[in-house]
Amino acid sequence: DGGITQSPKYLFRKEGQNVTLSCEQNLNHDAMYWYRQDPGQGLRLIYYSQIVNDFQKGDIAEGYSVSREKKESFPLTVTSAQKNPTAFYLCASSRRRARDPGPEAFFGQGTRLTVV
Amino acid sequence: GESVGLHLPTLSVQEGDNSIINCAYSNSASDYFIWYKQESGKGPQFIIDIRSNMDKRQGQRVTVLLNKTVKHLSLQIAATQPGDSAVYFCAERASYGKLTFGQGTILTVHP
């Protein structure tokens, strides 16, 4: 079955550590996205990639980094520079190459990151 | 409707009732709107969308209404079922492509 997979589902990080969240899709989608979701707030765009080897900052890119070496994969690294990393992180993919994923986007199940 | 803050608005209904979830959007230049459903611990799922040149669109058991005069969007769910319990949020897209998501409304359907 085609889909988008995020791992791990839960992740705990000590302060000062970098952690990497995985996002893999087998839908042959060109575009991939990372969002952050906090309680009581809407999704906020961290980074997006419209094509392999290219990515753009979203609205809240500070303290995060990404890579897009393969079409299927778009890992997100939460660095120690991110002052408030505890949140629910969502990855999405879409056929269309655009800043927003559009109605045909597939979202992953999310990774809940907690700083301990 | 949606509001700023840490606590999401909630709506509780009985199974079989109709539900209406509201969303106030901010940008009068937004040209496209989407409603999503998000179940606990899962990613959002697309429900229905509407373009700004329309004021109503119907899907299966769902209807979206758009009132551009007051920048208001609503999602109507007919014959609500326990499986409809989730967080529902809207998103608006500015003409230059940026998608802005609302915070959501918690819908609880009681059997």
Short mmCIF file of all heavy atoms in Angstrom, two decimals, chain A residues 9 35 37 39-43 59 88 90 96 99-103 107-109, chain B residues 5-6 8 32 34 36 38 41-44 46 49 93 97-99 101-103:
data_model
loop_
_atom_site.label_atom_id
_atom_site.label_comp_id
_atom_site.label_asym_id
_atom_site.label_seq_id
_atom_site.Cartn_x
_atom_site.Cartn_y
_atom_site.Cartn_z
N LYS A 9 7.12 7.22 16.57
CA LYS A 9 5.85 7.83 16.95
C LYS A 9 6.05 8.76 18.16
O LYS A 9 5.43 9.81 18.26
CB LYS A 9 4.83 6.74 17.28
CG LYS A 9 3.41 7.25 17.46
CD LYS A 9 2.46 6.07 17.64
CE LYS A 9 1.05 6.54 17.94
NZ LYS A 9 0.42 7.13 16.77
N TYR A 35 5.49 20.11 9.25
CA TYR A 35 4.70 21.04 10.04
C TYR A 35 4.92 20.76 11.52
O TYR A 35 5.18 19.62 11.92
CB TYR A 35 3.21 20.89 9.74
CG TYR A 35 2.79 21.39 8.39
CD1 TYR A 35 2.75 20.52 7.31
CD2 TYR A 35 2.44 22.72 8.20
CE1 TYR A 35 2.36 20.97 6.06
CE2 TYR A 35 2.05 23.18 6.95
CZ TYR A 35 2.02 22.29 5.89
OH TYR A 35 1.63 22.75 4.65
N GLN A 37 2.82 21.18 15.21
CA GLN A 37 1.49 21.40 15.76
C GLN A 37 1.62 21.51 17.27
O GLN A 37 2.10 20.59 17.94
CB GLN A 37 0.55 20.25 15.38
CG GLN A 37 -0.90 20.49 15.75
CD GLN A 37 -1.82 19.41 15.22
OE1 GLN A 37 -1.46 18.23 15.20
NE2 GLN A 37 -3.01 19.79 14.79
N PRO A 39 -0.46 22.61 21.03
CA PRO A 39 -1.83 22.67 21.59
C PRO A 39 -2.45 24.05 21.40
O PRO A 39 -1.83 25.06 21.70
CB PRO A 39 -1.60 22.36 23.07
CG PRO A 39 -0.34 21.59 23.12
CD PRO A 39 0.52 22.14 22.03
N GLY A 40 -3.66 24.05 20.88
CA GLY A 40 -4.37 25.30 20.73
C GLY A 40 -3.92 26.16 19.56
O GLY A 40 -4.37 27.29 19.43
N GLN A 41 -3.03 25.62 18.73
CA GLN A 41 -2.55 26.38 17.57
C GLN A 41 -2.70 25.57 16.30
O GLN A 41 -2.71 24.34 16.33
CB GLN A 41 -1.08 26.77 17.76
CG GLN A 41 -0.82 27.71 18.92
CD GLN A 41 0.60 28.22 18.90
OE1 GLN A 41 1.13 28.58 17.85
NE2 GLN A 41 1.24 28.25 20.05
N GLY A 42 -2.76 26.27 15.20
CA GLY A 42 -2.82 25.58 13.92
C GLY A 42 -1.46 25.06 13.50
O GLY A 42 -0.43 25.40 14.09
N LEU A 43 -1.44 24.24 12.47
CA LEU A 43 -0.18 23.75 11.91
C LEU A 43 0.66 24.91 11.40
O LEU A 43 0.14 25.83 10.77
CB LEU A 43 -0.45 22.80 10.74
CG LEU A 43 -1.30 21.57 10.99
CD1 LEU A 43 -1.40 20.75 9.71
CD2 LEU A 43 -0.72 20.73 12.09
N ASP A 59 7.65 29.03 7.70
CA ASP A 59 7.43 30.17 8.59
C ASP A 59 8.23 30.11 9.89
O ASP A 59 8.46 31.12 10.53
CB ASP A 59 5.94 30.28 8.93
CG ASP A 59 5.09 30.48 7.69
OD1 ASP A 59 5.50 31.31 6.85
OD2 ASP A 59 4.06 29.82 7.55
N PHE A 88 4.13 18.27 18.42
CA PHE A 88 3.74 17.18 17.54
C PHE A 88 4.16 17.59 16.13
O PHE A 88 3.80 18.67 15.66
CB PHE A 88 2.22 16.99 17.64
CG PHE A 88 1.68 15.77 16.96
CD1 PHE A 88 2.18 14.50 17.26
CD2 PHE A 88 0.65 15.85 16.04
CE1 PHE A 88 1.67 13.36 16.66
CE2 PHE A 88 0.12 14.71 15.44
CZ PHE A 88 0.63 13.47 15.75
N LEU A 90 4.38 16.88 12.06
CA LEU A 90 3.67 16.21 10.97
C LEU A 90 4.41 16.40 9.66
O LEU A 90 4.82 17.51 9.33
CB LEU A 90 2.25 16.76 10.83
CG LEU A 90 1.26 16.32 11.88
CD1 LEU A 90 0.06 17.24 11.93
CD2 LEU A 90 0.81 14.89 11.62
N ARG A 96 1.71 17.92 -6.20
CA ARG A 96 1.93 19.25 -6.76
C ARG A 96 3.13 19.92 -6.12
O ARG A 96 3.37 19.77 -4.93
CB ARG A 96 0.69 20.12 -6.56
CG ARG A 96 0.18 20.23 -5.16
CD ARG A 96 -1.15 20.92 -5.14
NE ARG A 96 -1.06 22.28 -5.65
CZ ARG A 96 -1.46 23.35 -4.98
NH1 ARG A 96 -1.99 23.23 -3.81
NH2 ARG A 96 -1.36 24.55 -5.51
N ARG A 99 4.13 25.66 -2.42
CA ARG A 99 4.43 25.95 -1.03
C ARG A 99 3.43 25.28 -0.09
O ARG A 99 3.73 24.98 1.04
CB ARG A 99 4.41 27.46 -0.81
CG ARG A 99 4.99 27.89 0.53
CD ARG A 99 4.81 29.37 0.75
NE ARG A 99 5.55 29.85 1.91
CZ ARG A 99 5.16 29.71 3.17
NH1 ARG A 99 4.02 29.10 3.43
NH2 ARG A 99 5.89 30.18 4.17
N ASP A 100 2.21 25.05 -0.58
CA ASP A 100 1.26 24.35 0.26
C ASP A 100 0.88 23.04 -0.41
O ASP A 100 0.89 22.93 -1.63
CB ASP A 100 0.02 25.20 0.52
CG ASP A 100 -0.93 25.24 -0.66
OD1 ASP A 100 -0.75 26.10 -1.52
OD2 ASP A 100 -1.82 24.38 -0.74
N PRO A 101 0.55 22.03 0.37
CA PRO A 101 0.36 20.69 -0.19
C PRO A 101 -0.95 20.49 -0.94
O PRO A 101 -1.06 19.58 -1.71
CB PRO A 101 0.43 19.78 1.04
CG PRO A 101 0.06 20.64 2.17
CD PRO A 101 0.52 22.01 1.84
N GLY A 102 -1.95 21.30 -0.70
CA GLY A 102 -3.19 21.17 -1.43
C GLY A 102 -4.06 20.02 -0.94
O GLY A 102 -3.67 19.26 -0.05
N PRO A 103 -5.24 19.85 -1.52
CA PRO A 103 -6.20 18.86 -1.03
C PRO A 103 -5.74 17.43 -1.23
O PRO A 103 -6.21 16.52 -0.55
CB PRO A 103 -7.45 19.15 -1.85
CG PRO A 103 -6.94 19.81 -3.08
CD PRO A 103 -5.76 20.62 -2.65
N PHE A 107 -0.86 13.10 4.82
CA PHE A 107 -0.13 13.40 6.04
C PHE A 107 0.30 12.10 6.71
O PHE A 107 -0.41 11.09 6.66
CB PHE A 107 -1.01 14.18 7.02
CG PHE A 107 -1.12 15.65 6.70
CD1 PHE A 107 -2.10 16.10 5.82
CD2 PHE A 107 -0.28 16.57 7.30
CE1 PHE A 107 -2.21 17.45 5.52
CE2 PHE A 107 -0.39 17.92 7.01
CZ PHE A 107 -1.36 18.36 6.12
N GLY A 108 1.45 12.15 7.35
CA GLY A 108 1.88 11.04 8.18
C GLY A 108 1.14 11.03 9.50
O GLY A 108 0.31 11.91 9.77
N GLN A 109 1.45 10.03 10.31
CA GLN A 109 0.77 9.87 11.60
C GLN A 109 1.37 10.75 12.68
O GLN A 109 0.84 10.81 13.79
CB GLN A 109 0.83 8.41 12.04
CG GLN A 109 0.13 7.48 11.06
CD GLN A 109 -1.36 7.68 11.04
OE1 GLN A 109 -2.07 7.35 11.99
NE2 GLN A 109 -1.88 8.23 9.95
N GLY B 5 -5.86 30.95 21.62
CA GLY B 5 -5.72 30.47 22.99
C GLY B 5 -5.30 29.03 23.02
O GLY B 5 -5.25 28.35 22.01
N LEU B 6 -5.01 28.51 24.22
CA LEU B 6 -4.53 27.16 24.38
C LEU B 6 -5.65 26.14 24.37
O LEU B 6 -5.40 24.96 24.17
CB LEU B 6 -3.72 27.04 25.67
CG LEU B 6 -2.43 27.84 25.71
CD1 LEU B 6 -1.75 27.68 27.06
CD2 LEU B 6 -1.49 27.41 24.60
N LEU B 8 -8.98 24.47 22.90
CA LEU B 8 -9.75 24.42 21.68
C LEU B 8 -11.23 24.54 21.99
O LEU B 8 -11.72 24.00 22.99
CB LEU B 8 -9.51 23.12 20.95
CG LEU B 8 -8.09 22.85 20.44
CD1 LEU B 8 -8.05 21.57 19.64
CD2 LEU B 8 -7.58 24.01 19.62
N TYR B 32 -8.95 30.01 -1.45
CA TYR B 32 -9.20 28.57 -1.39
C TYR B 32 -9.20 28.15 0.07
O TYR B 32 -8.37 28.62 0.86
CB TYR B 32 -8.08 27.87 -2.17
CG TYR B 32 -8.13 26.37 -2.19
CD1 TYR B 32 -9.15 25.69 -2.82
CD2 TYR B 32 -7.12 25.63 -1.59
CE1 TYR B 32 -9.18 24.31 -2.85
CE2 TYR B 32 -7.14 24.26 -1.62
CZ TYR B 32 -8.17 23.61 -2.25
OH TYR B 32 -8.19 22.25 -2.29
N ILE B 34 -9.88 24.75 2.93
CA ILE B 34 -9.95 23.29 3.12
C ILE B 34 -10.40 23.01 4.54
O ILE B 34 -10.00 23.71 5.48
CB ILE B 34 -8.56 22.64 2.91
CG1 ILE B 34 -7.95 23.02 1.56
CG2 ILE B 34 -8.66 21.12 3.02
CD1 ILE B 34 -6.52 22.48 1.38
N TYR B 36 -10.17 19.93 7.38
CA TYR B 36 -9.49 18.69 7.73
C TYR B 36 -10.12 18.09 8.98
O TYR B 36 -10.64 18.80 9.84
CB TYR B 36 -8.01 18.94 8.04
CG TYR B 36 -7.17 19.34 6.86
CD1 TYR B 36 -6.94 20.68 6.57
CD2 TYR B 36 -6.58 18.38 6.04
CE1 TYR B 36 -6.14 21.05 5.50
CE2 TYR B 36 -5.79 18.74 4.97
CZ TYR B 36 -5.57 20.08 4.71
OH TYR B 36 -4.79 20.44 3.64
N GLN B 38 -8.88 15.53 12.14
CA GLN B 38 -7.71 14.91 12.75
C GLN B 38 -8.14 14.12 13.97
O GLN B 38 -8.61 14.69 14.96
CB GLN B 38 -6.67 15.97 13.13
CG GLN B 38 -5.37 15.37 13.63
CD GLN B 38 -4.30 16.43 13.90
OE1 GLN B 38 -4.60 17.62 14.04
NE2 GLN B 38 -3.05 16.01 13.98
N GLY B 41 -3.86 11.48 17.87
CA GLY B 41 -2.60 10.81 17.58
C GLY B 41 -2.37 10.51 16.12
O GLY B 41 -1.46 9.74 15.78
N LYS B 42 -3.15 11.11 15.25
CA LYS B 42 -3.01 10.85 13.81
C LYS B 42 -2.82 12.14 13.04
O LYS B 42 -3.02 13.23 13.56
CB LYS B 42 -4.25 10.12 13.29
CG LYS B 42 -4.44 8.73 13.88
CD LYS B 42 -5.59 8.01 13.21
CE LYS B 42 -5.74 6.61 13.75
NZ LYS B 42 -6.86 5.89 13.09
N GLY B 43 -2.45 11.99 11.78
CA GLY B 43 -2.31 13.14 10.92
C GLY B 43 -3.65 13.61 10.38
O GLY B 43 -4.64 12.87 10.42
N PRO B 44 -3.73 14.83 9.89
CA PRO B 44 -4.99 15.36 9.35
C PRO B 44 -5.41 14.62 8.08
O PRO B 44 -4.58 14.17 7.30
CB PRO B 44 -4.65 16.82 9.03
CG PRO B 44 -3.41 17.12 9.78
CD PRO B 44 -2.67 15.84 9.90
N PHE B 46 -7.98 15.14 4.71
CA PHE B 46 -8.79 16.07 3.92
C PHE B 46 -10.26 15.65 3.96
O PHE B 46 -10.58 14.48 3.83
CB PHE B 46 -8.28 16.06 2.48
CG PHE B 46 -9.18 16.75 1.49
CD1 PHE B 46 -9.11 18.12 1.32
CD2 PHE B 46 -10.10 16.02 0.75
CE1 PHE B 46 -9.93 18.74 0.40
CE2 PHE B 46 -10.92 16.64 -0.17
CZ PHE B 46 -10.83 18.00 -0.34
N ASP B 49 -13.12 20.81 0.23
CA ASP B 49 -12.54 22.12 -0.03
C ASP B 49 -13.55 22.98 -0.79
O ASP B 49 -14.57 22.50 -1.27
CB ASP B 49 -11.23 22.00 -0.82
CG ASP B 49 -11.39 21.26 -2.15
OD1 ASP B 49 -12.50 20.79 -2.47
OD2 ASP B 49 -10.38 21.14 -2.88
N ARG B 93 -5.97 29.56 2.02
CA ARG B 93 -4.79 29.76 1.19
C ARG B 93 -4.83 31.15 0.58
O ARG B 93 -5.79 31.53 -0.08
CB ARG B 93 -4.70 28.72 0.07
CG ARG B 93 -3.39 28.80 -0.71
CD ARG B 93 -3.36 27.82 -1.85
NE ARG B 93 -4.31 28.19 -2.88
CZ ARG B 93 -4.64 27.39 -3.90
NH1 ARG B 93 -4.12 26.19 -3.99
NH2 ARG B 93 -5.50 27.79 -4.81
N GLY B 97 -0.09 31.55 -2.32
CA GLY B 97 0.22 30.15 -2.05
C GLY B 97 0.34 29.74 -0.60
O GLY B 97 0.32 28.56 -0.30
N LYS B 98 0.48 30.66 0.32
CA LYS B 98 0.66 30.26 1.71
C LYS B 98 -0.64 29.73 2.30
O LYS B 98 -1.69 30.34 2.18
CB LYS B 98 1.16 31.44 2.53
CG LYS B 98 1.34 31.12 4.00
CD LYS B 98 1.89 32.29 4.77
CE LYS B 98 1.95 31.96 6.26
NZ LYS B 98 2.51 33.07 7.05
N LEU B 99 -0.52 28.58 2.96
CA LEU B 99 -1.67 27.95 3.61
C LEU B 99 -1.59 28.25 5.11
O LEU B 99 -0.57 28.00 5.74
CB LEU B 99 -1.62 26.45 3.36
CG LEU B 99 -2.89 25.63 3.50
CD1 LEU B 99 -3.93 26.06 2.51
CD2 LEU B 99 -2.57 24.15 3.31
N PHE B 101 -3.40 27.53 8.78
CA PHE B 101 -4.31 26.58 9.43
C PHE B 101 -4.93 27.20 10.67
O PHE B 101 -4.26 27.87 11.45
CB PHE B 101 -3.53 25.32 9.84
CG PHE B 101 -3.02 24.52 8.68
CD1 PHE B 101 -1.80 24.82 8.09
CD2 PHE B 101 -3.75 23.45 8.18
CE1 PHE B 101 -1.33 24.08 7.03
CE2 PHE B 101 -3.28 22.70 7.11
CZ PHE B 101 -2.07 23.02 6.53
N GLY B 102 -6.20 26.91 10.89
CA GLY B 102 -6.86 27.28 12.13
C GLY B 102 -6.49 26.31 13.24
O GLY B 102 -5.90 25.26 13.01
N GLN B 103 -6.85 26.65 14.46
CA GLN B 103 -6.45 25.83 15.61
C GLN B 103 -7.34 24.61 15.78
O GLN B 103 -6.92 23.63 16.35
CB GLN B 103 -6.47 26.66 16.88
CG GLN B 103 -7.85 27.14 17.26
CD GLN B 103 -7.82 27.95 18.54
OE1 GLN B 103 -7.55 29.14 18.51
NE2 GLN B 103 -8.10 27.31 19.65
#
